[in-house]
Amino acid sequence: MSCENLLEVQNLCQYFPVTKGTFKRKIGDVKAVDHVSLAVRKGETLGIVGESGCGKTTMGRCIVRLNKPTGGHICFRGEDGELQDIFKLNKQDSFRLRKKIQIVFQDPYASLNPAKNIFTAFDEPLKLHGVSSREKRYAIASGMMETVNLSPRYLERYPHEFSGGQRQRICIAKALAMNPELIVCDEPVSALDVSIQAQIMNLMRRLQKEYNLTYLFIAHDLSVVKYMSDRIAVMYLGKIVELAESTEIVENCEHPYTKALMSAVPIPKLGAKKEKILLTGDVPSPLNPPSGCRFHPRCSQCMEICREKEPELREISGRPGHYCACHLVGHTE
Ligand code: SF4
């Protein structure tokens, strides 16, 4: 893994306006992603974990330009080695970037057209990106199917003829056919059985090495993210609350929310027990987030200051690379 950042997200905001009445008067914003900054290093897997509705998928969709952010910047390292804002590219660079950043969705069935055979899923984007010969497109698609351990004969079949795991392999192969640098994996194994999850994750790890890929791996299951990621960012209600190397998060997490998530991860050892931290209450509405620290209504260690002042995400003193947004934690000045 290189130390060079392939992607930088700076102060990203994605607000969705909420309207009311006949005249659609705006009454507020759902702040799905609120001033998020992070960097993804070339060759690493950065895991994003958090409960449903925390904004992780919305951020992923902004990175692949399926959503236009309300504010902030998303910069990707272009062919000239410079970081460029992906929403300010000219038409030609914008078209080229589409190949470089691919996405794998949670539901592989929804990402494939049920009325068309599997080859079509490869054929259309390859044609669009200038592979003019059908033989060549077929050869690329066959090669990619073999890479994900599926027979090229399956290219003639239709999506309903495959299992969930096979469909997800096809979606991964389809993304790889574009020769991407970054793949945003949005809950890629959440819809699969546990045994199939392991196969897909091992496949993705192998492909990462073979194709020198960088992953942004989004999931709600911390044990899955832990297995896949070099570093983990924990999101809560549109904000990153903790970010560190995976082992550091697992062994020495500091944020009370991360501790609660960690306590829910089962220990794969017979008879092993650990104390579960149960979070009370639901995740508050992003339309009207709590004042100060957004986690304070559910935090057992809440103090006076937590209700008034929002904690910043800062590096913990003496723990390089470990960032936490909590008033309990001492930060590097
Ligand atoms: Fe809990 Fe306060 Fe830390 Fe928020 S800032 S997580 S409320 S201790």
Side-chain angles (χ1 to χ4, degrees):
M1 192 211 314
S2 128
C3 279
E4 189 178 64
N5 293 337
L6 181 65
L7 180 89
E8 284 186 13
V9 173
Q10 299 158 359
N11 255 327
L12 184 72
C13 296
Q14 174 77 79
Y15 300 164
F16 298 105
V18 179
T19 57
K20 196 180 173 189
T22 320
F23 298 106
K24 302 237 177 286
R25 188 170 52 88
K26 187 177 162 190
I27 53 163
D29 285 303
V30 169
K31 297 181 176 176
V33 179
D34 199 8
H35 295 280
V36 164
S37 298
L38 54 82
V40 186
R41 298 172 191 154
K42 199 167 169 49
E44 79 165 343
T45 299
L46 177 69
I48 311 280
V49 71
E51 289 163 291
S52 298
C54 71
K56 53 193 191 308
T57 292
T58 307
M59 182 169 69
R61 289 177 66 88
C62 290
I63 292 168
V64 290
R65 298 189 296 177
L66 288 173
N67 286 6
K68 191 167 189 324
T70 319
H73 303 279
I74 298 174
C75 301
F76 189 78
R77 198 167 294 282
E79 277 158 20
D80 58 0
E82 296 295 322
L83 283 166
Q84 294 166 325
D85 190 323
I86 63 171
F87 287 95
K88 290 185 182 160
L89 297 175
N90 60 32
K91 222 173 163 188
Q92 205 181 11
D93 288 343
S94 183
F95 183 70
R96 273 200 221 117
L97 182 83
R98 261 201 260 168
K99 281 178 74 176
K100 299 277 172 212
I101 309 179
Q102 292 289 309
I103 185 164
V104 174
F105 293 102
Q106 175 178 2
D107 181 359
Y109 197 58
S111 340
L112 298 166
N113 186 340
K116 294 191 173 174
N117 70 10
I118 298 301
F119 174 61
T120 319
F122 289 89
D123 192 41
E124 286 170 354
L126 284 171
K127 208 190 297 178
L128 192 70
H129 285 279
V131 186
S132 52
S133 139
R134 190 181 189 278
E135 283 68 41
K136 201 165 174 201
R137 293 196 299 272
Y138 204 90
I140 294 173
S142 302
M144 286 301 140
M145 290 291 273
E146 279 174 349
T147 304
V148 298
N149 304 331
L150 289 174
S151 166
R153 283 183 293 119
Y154 291 170
L155 286 172
E156 303 304 329
R157 295 192 183 174
Y158 287 78
H160 71 270
E161 296 177 73
F162 297 94
S163 68
Q166 286 174 322
R167 280 198 287 263
Q168 198 55 296
R169 282 172 193 269
I170 292 166
C171 291
I172 293 168
K174 198 176 122 210
L176 276 183
M178 291 288 105
N179 195 18
E181 287 184 42
L182 172 71
I183 301 185
V184 175
C185 314
D186 184 11
E187 303 264 12
V189 296
S190 306
L192 307 174
D193 293 343
V194 176
S195 60
I196 309 295
Q197 281 189 353
Q199 287 175 18
I200 298 290
M201 288 194 291
N202 288 335
L203 171 72
M204 291 180 74
R205 284 170 65 139
R206 171 171 69 78
L207 295 174
Q208 182 171 36
K209 282 197 198 116
E210 281 178 25
Y211 290 86
N212 193 21
L213 294 167
T214 304
Y215 290 145
L216 186 77
F217 193 91
I218 298 166
H220 65 274
D221 182 342
L222 190 51
S223 49
V224 165
V225 173
K226 195 174 94 176
Y227 181 71
M228 284 299 292
S229 311
D230 299 295
R231 291 187 304 143
I232 297 176
V234 181
M235 270 188 95
Y236 184 79
L237 216 60
K239 298 255 181 204
I240 290 181
V241 295
E242 191 159 14
L243 190 155
E245 300 284 329
S246 284
T247 44
E248 175 73 2
I249 287 273
V250 172
E251 289 163 18
N252 302 309
C253 62
E254 291 291 351
H255 198 282
Y257 178 61
T258 316
K259 285 182 181 171
L261 288 185
M262 281 306 306
S263 78
V265 176
I267 308 171
K269 198 174 168 191
L270 205 62
K273 278 189 184 162
K274 69 174 164 185
E275 204 186 324
K276 266 198 174 177
I277 303 170
L278 288 177
L279 290 177
T280 50
D282 290 330
V283 182
S285 163
L287 178 60
N288 189 16
S291 61
C293 170
R294 293 180 178 203
F295 186 58
H296 88 249
R298 303 172 82 192
C299 181
S300 59
Q301 289 161 279
C302 177
M303 304 169 287
E304 199 56 45
I305 187 176
C306 306
R307 295 191 185 89
E308 290 153 18
K309 191 169 176 234
E310 186 173 338
E312 275 176 55
L313 183 71
R314 288 165 61 196
E315 195 170 54
I316 302 175
S317 56
R319 314 260 285 271
H322 189 157
Y323 297 81
C324 185
C326 176
H327 291 306
L328 284 174
V329 178
H331 292 109
T332 309
E333 287 310 317

